[in-house]
Amino acid sequence: MARMGLAPVLGYLIVEENFRVALGVFVLAGVTDLLDGFIARNWANQKSALGSALDPLADKILISVLYVSLTCANLIPVSLTSMIILRDVALIAAVFYVRYKTLSPPRTLSRYFNPCYATAQLKPTFVSKMNTAVQLILVAASLAAPVFNYVDSIYLQTLWCITAFTTVTSAYSYYHYGRKTVQVINNK
């Protein structure tokens, strides 16, 4: 919930070009994500169906807000942000489709959107995990660029290309491996 709450704050700070504070808030969001993961892995009684649904949603919201706002601040190209958001929209559409196909009748809205009734689990591919890491590194580097005065750096532009490559490769890996990335949990 903290990451979802911090997303609009970060977006506002970036659009207002308050990059020092935005960098600090981004680090805070990262710490809350690490802490959330640590707690969920080490204390079984702290895991919940709602939490397992909200965590990837919070990540998608945060990444989308960061990329759009960094694009508005002219720190990330529009084409790269479009590519990232299109990939995420395609993944979300695929998740909705899998949810529909694995949900047994009657398929009601309340059952469909009930995170306590898990029917399938999407297993991220290795390249998708790498893509997430590269995307977050680009966000951190882009936020730091105006603070440390390297906005026009060739290294930052190279990171754009690497991020584009991993984004396309990740999208392809989900398309290519499709069913291997989905584990049906319950089809009752």
Side-chain angles (χ1 to χ4, degrees), residues 148-165:
F148 297 106
N149 202 22
Y150 61 86
V151 172
D152 295 324
S153 169
I154 188 72
Y155 299 114
L156 197 55
Q157 294 169 11
T158 302
L159 195 50
W160 295 344
C161 295
I162 293 168
T163 304
F165 176 77

Side-chain angles (χ1 to χ4, degrees), residues 5 23 29 57 63 68 73 82-83 118 122 125 127 133-134 137 163 175:
L23 189 57
L57 178 63
I63 288 290
V68 168
S82 299
M83 184 183 304
L122 181 66
T125 62
V127 71
V134 169
I137 289 167
T163 304
Y175 171 76

Side-chain angles (χ1 to χ4, degrees), residues 8-9 11 13 25 33 44 74-75 81 90 103 130 142 156 175 188:
V9 173
L13 290 169
V25 173
D33 187 25
N74 295 315
L75 293 172
T81 296
L103 189 65
M130 294 303 297
S142 297
L156 197 55
Y175 171 76
K188 293 182 181 177

Side-chain angles (χ1 to χ4, degrees), residues 10-28:
L10 269 167
Y12 174 79
L13 290 169
I14 293 166
V15 169
E16 291 295 313
E17 298 183 2
N18 194 343
F19 298 112
R20 289 182 193 276
V21 175
L23 189 57
V25 173
F26 175 69
V27 169
L28 176 64

Side-chain angles (χ1 to χ4, degrees), residues 10-156:
L10 269 167
Y12 174 79
L13 290 169
I14 293 166
V15 169
E16 291 295 313
E17 298 183 2
N18 194 343
F19 298 112
R20 289 182 193 276
V21 175
L23 189 57
V25 173
F26 175 69
V27 169
L28 176 64
V31 168
T32 65
D33 187 25
L34 291 173
L35 186 60
D36 177 48
F38 177 78
I39 290 170
R41 279 188 301 278
N42 291 296
W43 286 281
N45 63 341
Q46 294 299 310
K47 288 183 183 180
S48 71
L50 181 60
S52 64
L54 286 179
D55 186 57
L57 178 63
D59 291 342
K60 295 289 180 219
I61 290 170
L62 186 62
I63 288 290
S64 297
V65 167
L66 285 166
Y67 272 88
V68 168
S69 56
L70 286 165
T71 299
C72 289
N74 295 315
L75 293 172
I76 292 180
V78 172
S79 57
L80 180 57
T81 296
S82 299
M83 184 183 304
I84 290 166
I85 289 177
L86 283 173
R87 174 199 167 264
D88 285 350
V89 166
L91 278 176
I92 290 167
V95 165
F96 277 117
Y97 174 76
V98 167
R99 174 68 169 176
Y100 178 79
K101 288 304 233 179
T102 58
L103 189 65
S104 60
R107 292 182 176 116
T108 63
L109 283 176
S110 63
R111 286 185 68 223
Y112 187 86
F113 289 105
N114 183 350
C116 297
Y117 185 67
T119 57
Q121 181 177 13
L122 181 66
K123 294 182 176 182
T125 62
F126 174 75
V127 71
S128 179
K129 289 180 181 183
M130 294 303 297
N131 179 55
T132 300
V134 169
Q135 285 181 359
L136 290 172
I137 289 167
L138 178 58
V139 166
S142 297
L143 275 174
V147 174
F148 297 106
N149 202 22
Y150 61 86
V151 172
D152 295 324
S153 169
I154 188 72
Y155 299 114
L156 197 55

